[in-house]
Amino acid sequence: MFKRVMGIAAGAVLLAGSWGFLVLMNTENGWLREPLVDTPDDKAFADAAVSLIDRESNGNAAFILMKDGKPFVQHYTSAGTAVDGDTLFQVASLSKWVTSWGVMRLVDQGKLDLDAPVSGYLTRWQLPEGDFDNNGVTVRRLLSHTAGLTDGLGYAGFAPGKPVQPLTESLTKAADASPGKEGVVRVGIEPGTEWRYSGGGYTLLQLLIEEVSGQSFNDFMTEQVFAPLGMTRSTFLVDDGDVGNIATIYNTAGEETAMPRYTALAAASLYTSANDMSKFLAAQYPGSNGESVGRGVLKPETVAETYEPHASSLGLDIWGLGAMLYAPNGTGGHIIGHDGNNEPAINTAARINPETGDGIIVLETGNALLASNVAGEWVFWKTGKVDFIDQTVAAGSMIMSLLAGWAVILIGAIWMFIRAYKRRKVAA
């Protein structure tokens, strides 16, 4: 009887381990997932993506599929006022990727050391003292979300007519922290030990840019990044003058909502157009007329450094210096870019393979995840791999699948044990 029980237990453990491996591998590699189209033709993918956007959009959307570093297909749709390639969309955390180029611009100019404590550059505000050494908070770690900050921000913004919080006060405690977030920027884990997403870290980088450059954050980014790249419509502030042609923000019910304003410009407040984002993506790839990667804003080797893995999760490289690493591109690098998501229903995605210049841009309001879903379909279509964002979204269903499978295995093992016990009694 003992050998029988041990055999059942060993079999159950083996089955549970195999089930866990299969579920994890399917989540990562999409073994049971079908691509949006079953042809490598870019036009076919674009047609399918446009159909998906038009079918599911509750507000407005801008879509560009890029090929060889240039826009290949463009599509725009709106439930209200028409949008086009120059319409400004509020792009939430996609702001962070663009902000990282401002930081790296100062590095290229010799004004910042990536591995120096950020505190040495600051005069207006400092991280509060705690259980860990604040000197471990470096520019590199802030860019890669490995600085040990535990704010988890998330900025909801301020309603029209409500005063916007001063930058240093927001760092101390953000009055517009997203629901469930404490809003305090501080070191809560040992710097450099793990990846922990931190909107507050990018607000700290906003202060850093202002301190080192001597300019306002928006002025610096306009002069040093937007203007050289030809991103003439982009801004982190829409209060300073009439920028015009701004996409209406919709909620998931398709209702118009107010446009919030932000203190955390670097982390959440970029307003950009699909055309401008196509120029930013193009700068990741050599131009057809001999233009270098970085387009003179950053050195080509600096751009390459932003793609190097600096953080991982579940054994997968997921973050560079400002850029998310979505999935291996098959040539030793990654599909890179950034997504943005904010209330009530802002979702944006920009991704590119720096080796080929192929990429995708989706800016939308009215759906919580439509842009990320479409961009995720593009990554899977291109690479056969489920990207990091899709894996994160699927984590809940993955856990449910794991638990359901393990429950079935446990019930089966118990049934087999009871059956073996009854047989032994009958035999006795």
Side-chain angles (χ1 to χ4, degrees), residues 54-337:
D54 287 349
R55 184 170 65 251
E56 296 192 6
S57 176
N58 295 318
N60 46 41
F63 166 80
I64 293 182
L65 187 70
M66 297 189 67
K67 186 174 176 62
D68 300 323
K70 299 177 181 178
F72 177 66
V73 173
Q74 302 185 46
H75 178 71
Y76 305 94
T77 184
S78 180
T81 302
V83 298
D84 57 30
D86 291 323
T87 300
L88 289 182
F89 282 76
Q90 209 290 312
V91 298
S93 286
L94 179 51
S95 308
K96 295 179 177 69
W97 188 22
V98 178
T99 293
S100 72
W101 272 49
V103 175
M104 298 304 285
R105 173 73 170 165
L106 290 172
V107 172
D108 270 358
Q109 292 173 340
K111 296 178 180 179
L112 278 180
D113 181 341
L114 278 174
D115 297 307
V118 69
S119 59
Y121 296 103
L122 304 178
T123 63
R124 291 158 52 191
W125 187 86
Q126 291 289 342
L127 286 161
E129 294 298 322
D131 296 333
F132 304 98
D133 185 2
N134 289 346
N135 286 329
V137 179
T138 64
V139 179
R140 184 186 302 276
R141 287 171 175 169
L142 287 171
L143 285 168
S144 59
H145 299 281
T146 59
L149 304 186
T150 52
D151 55 274
L153 290 164
Y155 297 93
F158 297 92
K162 186 175 181 179
V164 173
Q165 192 178 20
L167 178 56
T168 54
E169 289 184 15
S170 178
L171 285 164
T172 300
K173 187 173 177 61
D176 62 335
S178 293
K181 304 300 182 183
E182 182 185 20
V184 176
V185 180
R186 60 185 172 196
V187 181
I189 56 177
E190 182 69 36
T193 58
E194 65 178 86
W195 175 83
R196 187 76 68 91
Y197 190 81
S198 168
Y202 273 73
T203 306
L204 186 53
L205 288 170
Q206 176 181 333
L207 176 64
L208 175 71
I209 286 175
E210 292 189 348
E211 295 262 40
V212 173
S213 70
Q215 297 178 269
S216 72
F217 174 74
N218 191 55
D219 285 351
F220 173 84
M221 292 298 296
T222 299
E223 178 185 301
Q224 297 291 326
V225 178
F226 297 150
L229 293 180
M231 299 172 67
T232 57
R233 290 283 293 149
S234 297
T235 179
F236 284 89
L237 286 171
V238 294
D239 295 334
D240 297 343
D242 181 18
V243 296
N245 194 10
I246 301 178
T248 302
I249 296 178
Y250 292 88
N251 62 22
T252 55
E255 301 164 337
E256 295 185 18
T257 65
M259 182 179 299
R261 297 178 301 149
Y262 297 89
T263 299
L265 305 180
S269 189
L270 176 63
Y271 292 80
T272 191
S273 66
N275 284 342
D276 273 11
M277 278 309 302
S278 72
K279 295 173 184 176
F280 185 73
L281 262 63
Q284 321 290 325
Y285 185 72
S288 57
N289 296 317
E291 301 93 338
S292 65
V293 171
R295 301 298 190 270
V297 175
L298 298 182
K299 301 172 185 176
E301 57 268 29
T302 302
V303 177
E305 187 173 9
T306 67
Y307 307 156
E308 293 177 2
H310 282 73
S312 62
S313 177
L314 298 176
L316 300 174
D317 294 323
I318 61 169
W319 228 275
L321 297 180
M324 296 176 68
L325 311 180
Y326 288 96
N329 64 6
T331 57
H334 292 83
I335 303 292
I336 60 98

Side-chain angles (χ1 to χ4, degrees), residues 4-20 405-417:
R4 181 65 173 164
V5 171
M6 292 303 295
I8 294 171
V13 170
L14 180 61
L15 282 173
S18 298
W19 176 250
W406 288 339
V408 170
I409 292 167
L410 178 60
I411 291 169
I414 292 172
W415 177 80
M416 291 179 68
F417 171 77

Side-chain angles (χ1 to χ4, degrees), residues 377-405:
E377 291 286 0
W378 177 81
V379 171
F380 186 70
W381 172 69
K382 278 289 185 182
T383 69
K385 299 289 185 180
V386 179
D387 76 22
F388 169 58
I389 292 293
D390 275 0
Q391 290 184 45
T392 301
V393 172
S397 59
M398 179 190 74
I399 292 171
M400 292 300 295
S401 295
L402 281 172
L403 293 176

